[in-house]
Amino acid sequence: MDLLNTLVEKGLRRELPTREEALAVLATSDDDLLDVVAAAGKVRRQWFGRRVKLNYLVNLKSGLCPEDCSYCSQRLGSKAEILKYTWLKPDEASQAAAAGVAGGAKRVCLVASGRGPTDRDVDRVAQTIAAVKDQNEGVEVCACLGLLSDGQAERLRGAGADAYNHNLNTSEATYADITKTHTYADRVDTVQKAHSAGLSACSGLIAGMGESDEDLVDVVYALRELDADSVPVNFLIPFEGTPLAKEWNLTPQRCLRILAMVRFVCPDVEVRIAGGREVHLRSMQPLALNLANSIFLGDYLTSEGQAGKTDLEMIADAGFEVEGTDQVTLPQHRVAAAAAAGGRGSHEGGGCGSHEGGGCGPCGASEPAAEPVAEPAEARTDLVAVRRRGAGTDLAPNA
């Protein structure tokens, strides 16, 4: 297929595909799916080999968020029966992180619900970062605390944070349909604050909220423009008790096409399969490792994930290997660019060289195929399990 050959060549050169090419990936048929995975897999292996980076979530503060994000089980007015608790103490968070590190995770993501941290919250998280790093040698720490005020990103970096996560989630055009208590521009501003402070920017999307192909392409192009070092791809978990509980729009094939499109648009960044992979990819999860070079180990913030042991077996059985703490995730050209710009994160930074220019110059792209009419996905509510173990409980974590 000429389209895939063109996209592979561009990915190996770190060249931005045209929007028409990105849309054409999403419009490919199921008959062509394995060809799409194989093509995107060539780009993934060029920049990341067969390594899989493991990340581990620690939910520092769960539920009772004042924001109204429609997808979130922790939102204002949510009736989802999730765990609700206030801030974990630094030693509690460190113990939770240690379980993930013992399971093979090299990055711990410290997450707290809420609009954004107060200065006191930043002090609290700084103590938690210190505790995690003191007790887990070589671990990377990513903070995810919501919208940042001026100076807070710098304080987090000074405390030892390597990265900051704040997802764009969906396109600017449809953002107001999903959230009304803050704006798309607010999210962009926080990613830029983290970037400017020297933190590795982690920002991604949520697929399956009823968005169009154009929306998916828009948000991925925006993430490339923001120069995110890692792009988590979440697949909506339709929690009962949230406004999007009935949105079952994804199939495993659709998820694979989305991951392939992200890889072609962002060839040399850490593409992470995040929340919802067990619910929507199901038995196709191993195929997705050919597209993404990073996953979360074990459970998520408010839902249970696949058993950590099963994750490790899946990686090995698919012919991949867990990335070690002594290995650098990002390609050398991104690390070098970050160093030249003054560093970004204490482990590997980012900086790209792959995001200059942009635009959609003519490159012989074929017209996108007509979008296939898909049957609604079966609602697999049996696969949505609320987290009842790990952080905030007396039960052992899943790692």
Side-chain angles (χ1 to χ4, degrees), residues 119-356:
D119 287 342
R120 181 183 177 189
D121 293 336
V122 172
D123 290 340
R124 191 194 322 262
V125 174
Q127 295 173 24
T128 300
I129 293 170
V132 169
K133 291 208 162 190
D134 285 348
Q135 298 177 36
N136 300 280
E137 184 177 357
V139 71
E140 299 173 14
V141 173
C142 178
C144 178
L145 311 173
L147 301 172
L148 293 176
S149 301
D150 290 345
Q152 290 184 328
E154 287 79 4
R155 291 173 58 196
L156 289 167
R157 189 186 182 203
D162 301 289
Y164 194 83
N165 166 259
H166 197 63
N167 295 329
L168 297 187
N169 291 327
T170 193
S171 70
E172 183 174 12
T174 59
Y175 194 83
D177 296 333
I178 299 298
T179 302
K180 302 203 183 305
T181 49
H182 61 266
T183 67
Y184 178 90
D186 291 332
R187 287 189 170 266
V188 170
D189 178 67
T190 286
V191 177
Q192 291 173 333
K193 280 184 169 72
H195 201 298
S196 297
L199 291 165
S200 178
C202 173
S203 188
L205 63 139
I206 304 173
M209 298 191 291
E211 70 283 336
S212 67
D213 284 2
E214 288 76 10
D215 290 321
L216 287 170
V217 170
D218 283 349
V219 69
V220 176
Y221 271 66
L223 291 166
R224 174 157 173 160
E225 182 66 25
L226 282 171
D227 196 11
D229 291 324
S230 59
V231 175
V233 180
N234 295 276
F235 302 109
L236 177 70
I237 302 176
F239 272 96
E240 290 297 328
T242 65
L244 298 184
K246 305 305 179 187
E247 294 287 341
W248 288 87
N249 304 310
L250 297 172
T251 64
Q253 295 83 359
R254 171 75 167 168
C255 294
L256 290 171
R257 282 191 283 268
I258 291 168
L259 287 167
M261 184 271 287
V262 175
R263 175 54 71 197
F264 286 131
V265 176
C266 303
D268 60 340
V269 308
E270 177 188 343
V271 176
R272 183 181 312 147
I273 317 172
R277 66 177 163 93
E278 298 88 346
V279 177
H280 297 293
L281 279 163
R282 302 190 288 277
S283 62
M284 304 281 266
Q285 289 181 69
L287 264 184
L289 296 176
N290 291 280
L291 308 169
N293 62 295
S294 180
I295 66 171
F296 280 110
L297 177 73
D299 292 338
Y300 303 97
L301 296 176
T302 62
S303 66
E304 292 188 353
Q306 186 167 274
K309 181 175 181 290
T310 304
D311 284 338
L312 297 176
E313 290 172 346
M314 175 183 73
I315 291 167
D317 289 348
F320 293 88
E321 61 183 27
V322 173
E323 184 174 289
T325 55
D326 59 337
Q327 295 176 295
V328 176
T329 301
L330 295 175
Q332 184 55 41
H333 64 270
R334 291 185 68 89
V335 178
R344 196 153 81 230
S346 63
H347 283 261
E348 49 205 53
C352 74
S354 68
H355 300 59
E356 352 136 321

Side-chain angles (χ1 to χ4, degrees), residues 2-77:
D2 290 343
L3 168 69
L4 296 179
N5 291 334
T6 297
L7 287 169
V8 169
E9 291 171 4
K10 287 187 173 186
L12 300 182
R13 296 195 302 263
R14 296 182 283 129
E15 182 180 333
L16 182 66
T18 66
R19 287 182 55 84
E20 291 75 16
E21 289 165 343
L23 287 166
V25 172
L26 296 177
T28 52
S29 71
D30 287 351
D31 288 344
D32 293 324
L33 182 61
L34 289 180
D35 293 332
V36 173
V37 172
K42 292 178 182 178
V43 178
R44 181 250 201 264
R45 290 191 300 276
Q46 165 71 19
W47 301 115
F48 301 96
R50 301 194 72 82
R51 305 187 314 276
V52 177
K53 180 176 181 177
L54 298 182
N55 309 267
Y56 191 70
L57 285 164
V58 177
N59 198 356
L60 297 178
K61 181 166 72 81
S62 182
L64 306 175
C65 182
E67 303 299 288
D68 70 350
C69 307
S70 299
Y71 50 81
C72 186
S73 60
Q74 304 183 77
R75 73 186 298 272
L76 179 70

